[in-house]
Amino acid sequence: MVMAQQQARERWQAALQHAFFLTVLALSVLGALAGTDMTAGAALPQVGLAVGFIAWYAYWIVLRGGADRPPLPYLIGAAVGWAAMAAVDPALLPVGLAVLAPYCLRRAGWSAAGVLVVGALWLWQRFATVGYVDVREFWGCALGMAAAVTIVGYIATLEREGHKRQRLLDELTATQAERAAAERTAGVLAERQRLAREVHDTLTQGFASIAMLLDSVRDELAPGAPAARRVDQAMRTARDNLAESRRLVHALRPAPLDDTPLTDAVRELTGRLAEETGIEAFATVTGQPAALPAGTEGELLRVVQEALTNARRHAQAASVSVTLSYLDDVLAIDIQDDGTGFTPATRHPGVGMTTMRERIASVGGVFAVESAPGEGTTVTITMPLPAVSPTGEATSGSADTSTHDAPNSATRTTSTVMAP
């Protein structure tokens, strides 16, 4: 709506400018021809120059779209044409106002200077032609120039106010768009949390109950009985679906980053992966950790979580490492596994890979995947960091390395922190 109003206002302004140009040019030519015998030969120079002037204006201002910002070639050519017309007939001096038509409605300084120059030249032309300037002619010219300057100044003021209002409307529109985006984000997060609660309270609890009941039934059956084998199969299926529902809950509702740093949340993910699958998992942090916006850290955590899930489901990996490198101005995250790998150029990207790429792009980062058959897969994320850490100190210093062991023996989490 605002854009349509702006475009309509610009169209009306351009139409008014063109009408002003044609009116000034027509009145100037008619005024010059009024003092001639109106024969075709006498009128041909004035009319021919006027037609050429109209063609020049139409090309540069109408066709080339120079109504708002007149190009320099137009001004040079129009000034030359005006000088030629004034040389042919000094009565065509007011055509100078037509030359300034693209400026009169938008630039008060240019238009006022042009009016004063045209008025002074007209007085000079009258003095050079007649030998004197009548008092009434002088005051009439002075009053006309004052009126013209006042009018163009008023129009220019309206133009500035219009631009100011337009800027305010643009700022208001941008603010409303940001608020709507924030509300949508909040709504999405709230819906994800609601779905996580529903899945946890229904499917997860249901699979857990089924696994417990099947375990009780298996204890009551004779070992090696056909029914016992079917119960074991059903129990494995229930437990697999229980683990899958838990992963879904974690995917919908990641670790709370409001109270947990990104580095600790990544350690929890690698620890959980090792505990549930036996895969050897490493989480390494180098450099001085710098705080990022909560939304950015949340997206980074979800991408790391998705990459670990892919390594768990598809890579058949024995080892997975996550490295968070806090450099001077960027955070580099590498998720590397020693699994089967694939050829990125020949493999159609799945929904998970596309979603990860979109998440990183939405927060201004760079996402890349390197893989080859039999050589594992490396997911690389590069995210700009603030120039100064939250404590106001530069991110430099000596290295301080500490190692944390996860509860499972297959998990080893290494943290390398640059001391300030």
Side-chain angles (χ1 to χ4, degrees), residues 321-347:
S321 65
V322 181
T323 304
L324 290 84
S325 302
Y326 289 88
L327 306 177
D328 291 339
D329 55 353
V330 295
L331 165 61
I333 302 178
D334 297 316
I335 304 100
Q336 186 175 14
D337 66 66
D338 59 356
T340 57
F342 61 95
T343 304
T346 59
R347 179 175 175 177

Side-chain angles (χ1 to χ4, degrees), residues 267 283-289 324-326 398-404 413-419:
R267 292 190 187 104
T284 304
V285 180
T286 63
Q288 176 66 41
L324 290 84
S325 302
Y326 289 88
S398 58
D400 178 20
T401 305
S402 60
T403 303
H404 306 278
T413 305
T414 304
S415 175
T416 304
V417 180
M418 301 295 290

Side-chain angles (χ1 to χ4, degrees), residues 10 48 58 85 108 243 245 250 262 387 397 406:
E10 290 179 353
M85 296 177 74
S245 66
H250 288 302
L262 176 63

Side-chain angles (χ1 to χ4, degrees), residues 253-268:
R253 190 177 182 180
L257 290 175
D258 291 339
D259 300 324
T260 304
L262 176 63
T263 54
D264 293 344
V266 171
R267 292 190 187 104
E268 292 179 7

Side-chain angles (χ1 to χ4, degrees), residues 243-255:
E244 187 67 24
S245 66
R246 286 174 176 170
R247 285 195 295 271
L248 179 60
V249 169
H250 288 302
L252 290 173
R253 190 177 182 180

Side-chain angles (χ1 to χ4, degrees), residues 315-406:
Q316 301 178 11
S319 176
V320 179
S321 65
V322 181
T323 304
L324 290 84
S325 302
Y326 289 88
L327 306 177
D328 291 339
D329 55 353
V330 295
L331 165 61
I333 302 178
D334 297 316
I335 304 100
Q336 186 175 14
D337 66 66
D338 59 356
T340 57
F342 61 95
T343 304
T346 59
R347 179 175 175 177
H348 181 70
V351 176
M353 195 71 68
T354 302
T355 301
M356 288 192 290
R357 192 179 303 275
E358 291 174 351
R359 286 185 185 276
I360 297 303
S362 67
V363 294
V366 178
F367 178 88
V369 178
E370 296 180 2
S371 184
E375 298 183 5
T377 302
T378 300
V379 174
T380 303
I381 304 166
T382 305
M383 179 64 54
L385 284 177
V388 180
S389 66
T391 59
E393 299 178 356
T395 56
S396 61
S398 58
D400 178 20
T401 305
S402 60
T403 303
H404 306 278
D405 294 332

